[in-house]
């Protein structure tokens, strides 16, 4: 079993920045993708950004140019730098890691518990 510790959320004003971090409780054997999603209460969880060990980095159109995903596949950590935050960015942000815990385990998707980002106008 692996757990994730997310940090960096908080309350900021429009235009300010935050950096979210997500660290796994144990090192993965191999990671396919690391991503961030967000969810507003009462709405579906939505995609924010993804980085792939063998593919491109992608962002939702609403955050392109403002957010940057980065990570360390060996350390099993992923971060999200969020600049020029807007009130519409207010949500609970979840990290997502898709990979193999051990060399004989199946590929699974893992979620963090979420960290709240609130942006006031």
């Amino acid at each position: 079993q692996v757990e994730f510790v997310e940090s960096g959320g908080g309350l900021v004003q429009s235009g300010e920045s935050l950096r979210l971090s997500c660290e796994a409780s144990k090192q993965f054997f191999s990671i396919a993708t690391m991503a961030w999603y967000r969810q507003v209460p009462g709405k579906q969880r939505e995609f924010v950004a993804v980085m792939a060990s063998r593919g491109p980095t992608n962002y939702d159109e609403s955050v392109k140019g403002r957010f940057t995903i980065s990570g360390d596949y060996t350390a099993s950590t992923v971060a999200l730098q969020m600049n020029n935050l807007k009130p519409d960015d207010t949500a609970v942000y979840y990290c997502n890691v898709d990979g193999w815990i051990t060399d004989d385990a199946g590929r699974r998707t893992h979620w963090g518990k979420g960290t709240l980002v609130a942006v006031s106008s």
Side-chain angles (χ1 to χ4, degrees):
Q1 187 72 17
V2 60
E3 295 183 352
F4 293 85
V5 177
E6 293 155 323
S7 60
L11 173 62
V12 296
Q13 293 187 335
S14 182
E16 294 185 338
S17 299
L18 283 174
R19 181 177 178 84
L20 305 183
S21 296
C22 177
E23 182 175 353
S25 60
K26 62 174 65 174
Q27 184 176 343
F28 276 66
F29 170 74
S30 180
I31 292 175
T33 62
M34 296 192 288
W36 288 91
Y37 287 72
R38 64 188 181 187
Q39 187 171 22
V40 175
K43 295 187 176 181
Q44 286 191 331
R45 192 170 297 185
E46 62 179 21
F47 165 78
V48 175
V50 64
M51 56 185 294
S53 59
R54 296 181 180 181
T57 297
N58 286 308
Y59 297 90
D60 181 78
E61 286 294 327
S62 66
V63 307
K64 274 185 180 179
R66 301 188 297 121
F67 291 11
T68 302
I69 188 172
S70 62
D72 185 326
Y73 292 104
T74 300
S76 302
T77 60
V78 60
L80 185 69
Q81 177 65 41
M82 305 184 295
N83 298 330
N84 190 22
L85 282 160
K86 304 176 180 180
D88 284 348
D89 295 319
T90 296
V92 176
Y93 284 70
Y94 297 88
C95 64
N96 170 290
V97 176
D98 185 25
W100 298 261
I101 295 295
T102 62
D103 59 351
D104 60 352
R107 177 173 171 175
R108 289 185 57 196
T109 297
H110 304 265
W111 291 93
K113 295 181 180 180
T115 184
L116 176 63
V117 172
V119 185
S120 62
S121 57

